[in-house]
Amino acid sequence: MNGGGGHVGALRSFLKKVVQFVIVLATTLLGLVAVTFFIGRVVPIDPVIAIVGDRAPAHVYERTRQELGLDRPLIEQFVIYVKKAATGDFGNSVLTTNPVMTDIINVFPATLELATLGTIIGVIVGIPLGVLAAVKRGSLLDQFVRVLGLVGYSVPIFWLGLMGLLLFYAKLGWVAGPGRIDVTYSYLYTPVTGIVLLDTAMQGQWDAFWDAVSHVLLPACLLGYFSLAYISRMTRSFMLNELAQEYVIAARVKGLSEMRVIWRHALRNAAVPLITVIALSYANLLEGSVLTETVFAWPGLGQYITNSLQNADMNAVLGGTLVIGTVFVLLNLVSDLLYRLLDPRTR
Amino acid sequence: MAGSPALSHPTGWRAWLLSPEPHSRWQARLGRFYLGWRAFSRNPLAVIGLGIVLLLILVALFADVIAPYSPVAGGDLRTQRLLPPSETFWLGTDDQARDIFSRIVYGSRITLFVVVLVALIATPIGLLVGTVAGYLGGWVDTVLMRITDIFLAFPRLVLALAFVAALGPGIENAIIAIAITSWPPYARIARAETLMVRNSDFIAAVKLQGASTPRIILGHVVPLCVSSLIVRVTLDMAGIILTAAGLGFLGLGAQPPMPEWGAMVATGRNYLIDQWWVAAMPGIAIFVVSLGFNLLGDGLRDVLDPKAAK
Amino acid sequence: MLDIQNLQVVFGTGRLRVDAVKNVSFHVEPGEAYGLVGESGSGKSTVLRAICGLAPISGGRVLVDGKEVTTPRTKAFYRTVQMVFQDPYASLHPRHTVDRTLSEPLAIHGEKDAEARILQALREVGLGPSFRFRYPHQLSGGQRQRIAIARALILRPKVLLLDEPTSALDASVQAEILNLLDDLRRKMGLTYILVSHDLAVVAHLCERLLVMRHGEAVEETTSAALRSGAASNDYTQSLIQASQGFTRTTKPPLQSLAG
Amino acid sequence: MTKPLLDVEDLRVRFHLRTGTVEAVRGVTFQLGRERLGIVGESGSGKSQTGRAILGLTPPPGEVTAKRLAFDGIDLLTASKRTLRTLRGGRISMVMQDPKYSLNPVMTIGEQIIEAYQAHAKASRGEARDKALAMLEAVKMRDPARVFSLYPHEVSGGMGQRAMIAMMLVTDPDLLIADEPTSALDVTVSMEVLRILDELVTERGMGLIFISHDLKLVSSFCDRVLVMYAGRVVEELEAKNLREAKHPYTQGLMRCLPTLADDVRPLPTLNRDPAWAL
Amino acid sequence: ATPPDTLVQAWQSDDIISLDPAEVFEMNASEIIGNTYERLITYDIKDVSKISGQVAESWTVSPDGKTYTFKIKPNRKFASGNPITAEDVVYSLQRAVALDKSPAFILGQFGLTKDNMKDKIKQTGPLELTFEVDKPYAPTLVLYCLGNSVASIVDKKLLTQNEKDGDWGYNWLKTKYAGSGPYIMRDWKANEVLVLERNPNYEQKTPLARVIYRHIKETASQRLLLEKGDVDVARSLNPEEIAAVSKNPDITVQSAPKGTVYYLGLNQKNPNLAKPEVRQALKYLVDYQAIADTIMKSKGEVHQNFLPKGFLGAESNNPYKLDVAKAKELLAKAGLKDGFSVTMDTRSTAEITGVAQAMQATFAQAGIKLEILPMDSKQALTKYRARQHDIYIGNWGSDYQDPNSNADTFAANDDNSDNAKAKPLAWRNAWDPGPLTAKTRAAVMERDAEKRAQMYKELQKAVLDDGPFVIFLQQTEVAAVRKNVQNFVLGPSFSDNDVSQAKKN
Ligand SMILES: Nc1ncnc2c1ncn2[C@@H]1O[C@H](COP(=O)(O)OP(=O)(O)OP(=O)(O)O)[C@@H](O)[C@H]1O
Ligand SMILES: Nc1ncnc2c1ncn2[C@@H]1O[C@H](COP(=O)(O)OP(=O)(O)OP(=O)(O)O)[C@@H](O)[C@H]1O
Ligand SMILES: [Mg+2]
Ligand SMILES: [Mg+2]
């Protein structure tokens, strides 16, 4: 019932939103940079040693220090960093010697692949479980879902990961072991997207594809389980909320089937806050589960950042963190947009 | 009012507790508590959770009595190392020939310490940031929420790692690091809750009595956010233990030979396949305790959350 | 006692601008009860909220006891003017006992003797001491509204702003609250401004009233005039009509109820 | 009155709660023809639960029993879920109290009406759409095509309530239960809504159960009135005779309303007699 | 399963930061350099005293002991097809000196600098060059250093093509390859995989077409992969895993002692540790044998002198044993009857932490409260190099096969002041070895091998008795190899781990 205004008003408010978003993104990122940067500088690890090694003579050490600009005042270093970062240049990684951006482009697809599959599993399984638990509140099924979720919350991921490997890979041989693809196949395709499943499929290397599937299955299920635990819980609670609403009764009054009432009416409404939950859980998975990646020898972002941090490779840490921050903010935006799309009240 | 059914009337101390007309603030409070307990105790899972948490506390308190061996001093490396569970060593021994059972028993203290401290640090921060932002709105809200977003968008483990790196490894610093990374979601929850109540009539009513902003926030807004936050925090306990374990796994948590469960699992990782008990026993302990906190949190939610209670 | 001059309240800006109250003026004598009626969204509540500082005064003046109010309001103002809200379910803090709710204003204003004053306040609104340690959810709507009135009265204000104090209540409970308000006014010499959409309620409690529509004052009239069905304004007339129950256009209107 | 449309005998609704059993409705008996039946009573007296029990929509911990609960000869208690579903919305409808909460916030009003129609009539989308538009027009919606594509939050309370009525009447039911359909509305708007309901009863010969706590309204709108107290019907009488009610409760309810007509001070209040609830 | 012509290894390679031989200093990368590049000189990995030419056909040393003349083998080619000439060798050595990366001191210690290298390293014919050192060092020292990975021969032509701004092709070579060894470094994805491929131009064709190193951080994962046959060799198994896989009939466990010793560094800035009795007492408070038999089983042998076995003059006597009574006596003499508290900077790797805890337990028996400070290795090093530790537990691997490598760091300290330029281990522990420094310097010049060995024995004795180092183990490298793999060789240093003759049946 928006009166007057018309297109001009809508356009202006849209532009305002865009400007607002850009400001939010910029300040958040700047804040991220600042926090990471200064944390990076207080870490009592000498990045120079990380490069020149333990036994380098003093002059090599000193020269490298200057090359890295570490002899300048902190503020100056920060300004230089921000200036460069604004152009997408996060410097070079000490560990891999590549530009950090290149590295991240290399490792991110691995994490993306895993996180996406994990989230898909979490959504496909978690939502129906949550819905059923809510519909049959207090039933055996509800308790089962609750315990399943709680177990997901409680078990150390590396433990579950290794146990999974031991059982499904070593003992049963149902899935392939750690890594993304067998060496036999690893040179049969050329990485284009960096997502092995996509690359192999696009290039018609079906043997390689299935091998990659069997590699990704276990870690994806593991992450999927954790995301399922969270999603099913939240779904249940949102659904309980919706099922208590009057419009659900109204839908029943209309003579709709219970299926339709639950899945079309209640879930459709529960989906609105669920979007945020799913986005959040996806973002968390995208952050890269260091532990999962370690256990499954998955060369992803989590391992990259952790490894860089441990080796005082601050450029890489900063870059990685910024990428994650950006992903986070973008996901927030997307979930916001979806929210708007799903909930007419916020349009 | 009309139509309320006649309930059988209790007698004795229960009558006193349930008295519809308590005579003092204390009696009223106890009565509330009792009712809450009754609702809580009808949920068997929640009671199990409470039992586990109580057990954890008891074990932590009486660790010296319960543990048959020293948690730090190992036995003979040649003969007592990596022994499977037996009558002498109920849960086996680890790579330093230490009794795993004793270590788990003593480790409960650290676990409890971690959990309680994180809760005590993170909850108030989140609560305060969230309620202040939500209540005051405007630029305060913008600034506080931007900061929250930054911390939220920060990879959690990286932030923890960075803090631990900056402060030096050790359990206290790990706790601070975990606390610093756990408050943003609490702030979000508290803010959302505050936004819901800030325009409500009862807040307007205290405003109309001339209450100052701090008074409104602390006395009127905070209590409303606390219950959902308590629930969330207890649910997060598992996450906290596991993050501590994760830090331990990365060598940044507790210092050896501290019997921190996460660190124990981390060491046990090296023996996972053949000497499974080294990792499995503390792993099970973590699982049971976080399950306990989870169940307790679930139960508390039903008691504390008026929406769920209805 | 209260003087409202050309009051204007505007919410939001630009496309979202809402002129909730436009140029409303009225005057209330000490000890008088003054009514505000009008359809939903006509700005009745907003007038009250503007008076006590819960809504912004965008134009015009509000004078209490001859003095213009300040923003933010002083503590002294709150001792003079208090408000009772429409929804008894929303106006009490769900986690505070009656005791806490009533002791809060005393604590804020540093009043001593809380114990006795609380018991007295409960008595005044017709509730026994047994209600003292109850939580709002343990009270009926009518009881809640009594607590809200007690809270408003515990500081001994001179002016009470009543925002539809009975519209959420059953007819029988409404009668009790109206009686109570009537009593209190007489006993304490209070000044009321009563907002309601129920003409009968306003007529019952107030001497004079203002009819509002779309944020504007339509006409000021008296209860007596209402009772006699004398309204100069069409809108007021239609309100009077509607308040008399359903009228079947096909059948002759039910004269019996109109009296 | 010929064969009654709805026959209710000794209807009981119980809620088994942790704290004991709440009997929300205790032995309600009435029959309904093609007429306007009002149910009044104070809050919590069991009006809504009676209405919901008829539709088989008593919420989960509730239990419904009755000696007889029949609609047009169909026993509603033993009817299969399927039968119930076809009845619900098809032949019996219910207009709920608050349009703000009873319309699905994420579906357009048109969609919701179409959905109701298609649940009972085999109709193409186009037909359903035409029917929905016609229905919106029938409830005196000013610009049906526009309202059709609006979301519930985009319409005012009065429009929402009319949309709700359109949705519930699109299947041309024989019985409509209206649970406080006007209490959320302005006096002026509520008169319009009532007028629509009235027309439907008189023109389509529909049975109407009109639930309200507003005695004045019920007495002026309905043919017959049931007065409920604590889950029981304490009195049943012709609406126009409400002034002459015999039960002290009804009398009390009538008297405690302030009126423009006379100025009683203090207003009489109800002195609840515990015996009423027995 | 792995392809028959490919050897797949699982290892932990997160420390590889460059594959430029002039920069490589870490163990994993030097193994790659060892298998993909050649040097002038090589030695027999079964007996390191047998030095032979690799790219060099022959060499002579001038009578004054300062000029070495090398003749290059004719008709050798780089993987790129370019011929190997003396020009390439000169270029390679000059490049290492000029780039001046971490391992450059191995050549630099002979008085070579960016400014004088053109005069000191000279091409004297198409296949002949001279290499001039500043003092008459023991020739074995010079030759061992020329056999080090820093002195690997790189393809001048290829590098010149890829040079940018006079960087000697450094930025290119970090991740690329320009050598002549048995394998070509085909592909390196940091922290993921490193692929070697047969070099068709190598004089002796390798049996395998490909060697793949997979980075698998988790040792348990390595083991699972090995047992399933998805890798052929697992390189980072821990002792228990080795014990377990050695029972597997499909797997053999290979091991080789490495030139790395494990030690505790006792900071002499700590007044307690500065007492000679305390230093001694600590040496009696380590249960050497138990550690070697359990926690470090198959990863190390008891060894208490600073020269690893196999080095010229290396001592193999291990006089210290766990003796709490003796230690208490010594402590009492030092006036610390009730013990004292001390911290130990510990890198958080499983084995170091394990050893540290074992020591913590034995120290406690004499009343010494040892607090372990776990930290990551870069952090520990930073602290160590700032002399801020109490005790540092670590290991030291010799940079080249000559005893000077270790003597120089354990037994010499030219300047013990806080801002000294050189930071040998003695300096890091704030220890002034007194006359030992001069003795170390003299030993380098001794050209008589017999006498030289004797000098090192004396140095070792002195450090063993009084030095601030509790040396307890010499590292053994272990690899679990599937039975069908043959000729997989673990050499005495990491660059000697050789897969060039490996094959699978
Ligand atoms: N905080 C606010 N922000 C924006 N608009 C507001 C706000 N408060 C009230 N309004 C608008 O001001 C107008 C008057 O509202 P008000 O609550 O005073 O009406 P009312 O007469 O009290 O109606 P009711 O009988 O429904 O209580 C409405 O259109 C409402 O939407
Ligand atoms: N889900 C439920 N669980 C327990 N008791 C319930 C439930 N729903 C309703 N009741 C009880 O049933 C009784 C009748 O409720 P009902 O909703 O029919 O009242 P009503 O007459 O419609 O009142 P109102 O005018 O407030 O709508 C009340 O006492 C109420 O507390
Ligand atoms: Mg209002
Ligand atoms: Mg009702």
Side-chain angles (χ1 to χ4, degrees), chain C residues 11 18 20 39-46 86 164:
Chain C
F11 293 110
V18 177
E39 66 189 276
S40 177
S42 59
K44 307 179 297 286
S45 302
T46 307
Q86 168 172 7
E164 314 210 25

Side-chain angles (χ1 to χ4, degrees), chain B:
Chain B
M1 282 190 86
S4 58
L7 288 168
S8 64
H9 281 290
T11 51
W13 56 272
R14 284 181 59 207
W16 182 80
L17 279 174
L18 294 178
S19 157
E21 301 176 14
H23 296 290
S24 68
R25 286 177 190 183
W26 258 108
Q27 186 185 356
R29 226 168 263 161
L30 282 176
R32 276 282 295 160
F33 188 81
Y34 175 71
L35 277 178
W37 164 247
R38 274 218 321 213
F40 181 87
S41 62
R42 280 205 182 77
N43 180 346
L45 284 177
V47 174
I48 293 175
L50 181 70
I52 292 173
V53 172
L54 283 181
L55 188 72
L56 173 73
I57 295 174
L58 284 179
V59 167
L61 277 180
F62 299 107
D64 357 17
V65 185
I66 300 169
Y69 301 95
S70 153
V72 290
D76 187 345
L77 284 181
R78 284 197 189 78
T79 56
Q80 294 182 326
R81 194 164 172 267
L82 297 171
L83 296 179
S86 66
E87 256 164 55
T88 18
F89 302 106
W90 297 344
L91 303 181
T93 61
D94 68 1
D95 60 317
Q96 296 285 335
R98 294 173 295 211
D99 176 39
I100 293 177
F101 177 71
S102 305
R103 281 175 71 72
I104 288 179
V105 166
Y106 273 95
S108 62
R109 290 184 174 175
I110 303 171
T111 299
L112 204 61
F113 180 64
V114 169
V115 153
V116 169
L117 221 63
V118 169
L120 283 186
I121 298 173
T123 319
I125 298 180
L127 199 54
L128 214 63
V129 170
T131 48
V132 168
Y135 184 74
L136 293 182
W139 65 266
V140 178
D141 184 30
T142 313
V143 169
L144 285 179
M145 278 302 116
R146 209 57 335 110
I147 293 174
T148 310
D149 274 352
I150 289 170
F151 276 87
L152 208 59
F154 221 97
R156 203 179 143 134
L157 204 56
V158 170
L159 193 63
L161 278 171
F163 265 89
V164 169
L167 303 169
I171 193 75
E172 296 85 2
N173 293 338
I175 289 172
I176 294 176
I178 296 171
I180 279 173
T181 52
S182 2
W183 67 264
Y186 302 159
R188 279 277 179 101
I189 294 176
R191 177 172 175 272
E193 206 105 343
T194 307
L195 286 182
M196 283 203 301
V197 299
R198 91 173 199 188
N199 288 324
S200 64
D201 285 348
F202 61 86
I203 294 296
V206 271
K207 267 195 221 163
L208 284 192
Q209 281 143 14
S212 63
T213 304
R215 186 180 188 102
I216 296 176
I217 291 178
L218 292 178
H220 296 256
V221 178
V222 163
L224 284 173
C225 309
V226 157
S227 73
S228 62
L229 221 58
I230 285 181
V231 171
R232 174 68 198 252
V233 171
T234 45
L235 287 179
D236 275 2
M237 287 299 166
I240 292 168
I241 299 176
L242 293 180
T243 309
L247 285 178
F249 178 79
L250 294 163
L252 299 166
Q255 301 162 16
M258 261 191 169
E260 199 263 319
W261 294 352
M264 288 169 71
V265 178
T267 330
R269 207 164 43 106
N270 292 314
Y271 317 105
L272 198 65
I273 296 173
D274 295 307
Q275 290 85 19
W276 54 270
W277 56 91
V278 183
M281 296 305 176
I284 291 171
I286 292 179
F287 168 64
V288 168
V289 166
S290 40
L291 195 64
F293 273 109
N294 270 323
L295 293 174
L296 178 64
D298 257 18
L300 279 183
R301 187 217 314 270
D302 289 347
V303 175
L304 289 180
D305 193 347
K307 277 173 271 168
K310 247 189 178 175

Side-chain angles (χ1 to χ4, degrees), chain C residues 85-104:
Chain C
F85 295 88
Q86 168 172 7
D87 187 353
Y89 295 86
S91 65
L92 297 182
H93 195 290
R95 292 207 192 288
H96 287 176
T97 57
V98 169
D99 182 62
R100 173 91 197 263
T101 299
L102 293 182
S103 56
E104 195 71 8

Side-chain angles (χ1 to χ4, degrees), chain D residues 32-133:
Chain D
L32 176 78
R34 302 191 178 270
E35 56 176 334
R36 289 167 288 235
L37 174 71
I39 303 184
V40 292
E42 64 192 356
S43 186
S45 55
K47 308 183 293 289
S48 299
Q49 289 308 331
T50 304
R52 291 194 176 187
I54 294 168
L55 274 169
L57 286 174
T58 306
E63 175 207 14
V64 180
T65 55
K67 285 222 179 77
R68 192 173 160 69
L69 181 59
F71 170 75
D72 203 12
I74 306 163
D75 185 352
L76 293 175
L77 287 172
T78 54
S80 68
K81 275 192 175 168
R82 211 191 169 76
T83 324
L84 266 183
R85 236 182 18 237
T86 46
L87 283 183
R88 244 186 245 154
R91 299 193 57 198
I92 316 177
S93 274
M94 177 152 112
V95 173
M96 313 213 320
Q97 184 160 355
D98 199 334
K100 235 201 295 189
Y101 300 112
S102 350
L103 288 170
N104 187 339
V106 300
M107 284 168 87
T108 61
I109 286 172
E111 265 178 85
Q112 298 190 47
I113 299 176
I114 287 182
E115 192 187 31
Y117 185 61
Q118 283 187 327
H120 298 283
K122 274 218 162 72
S124 72
R125 223 190 127 74
E127 287 163 5
R129 197 187 142 84
D130 293 342
K131 177 83 186 170
L133 282 171

Side-chain angles (χ1 to χ4, degrees), chain C residues 133-170:
Chain C
F133 294 109
R134 293 210 194 169
Y135 282 87
H137 71 261
Q138 295 167 316
L139 302 173
S140 73
Q143 289 162 345
R144 287 177 199 221
Q145 203 59 303
R146 284 169 197 259
I147 298 298
I149 293 171
R151 172 178 59 191
L153 290 178
I154 204 163
L155 287 174
R156 297 271 166 257
K158 293 185 201 135
V159 180
L160 211 53
L161 308 176
L162 300 158
D163 190 359
E164 314 210 25
T166 60
S167 69
L169 305 176
D170 276 341

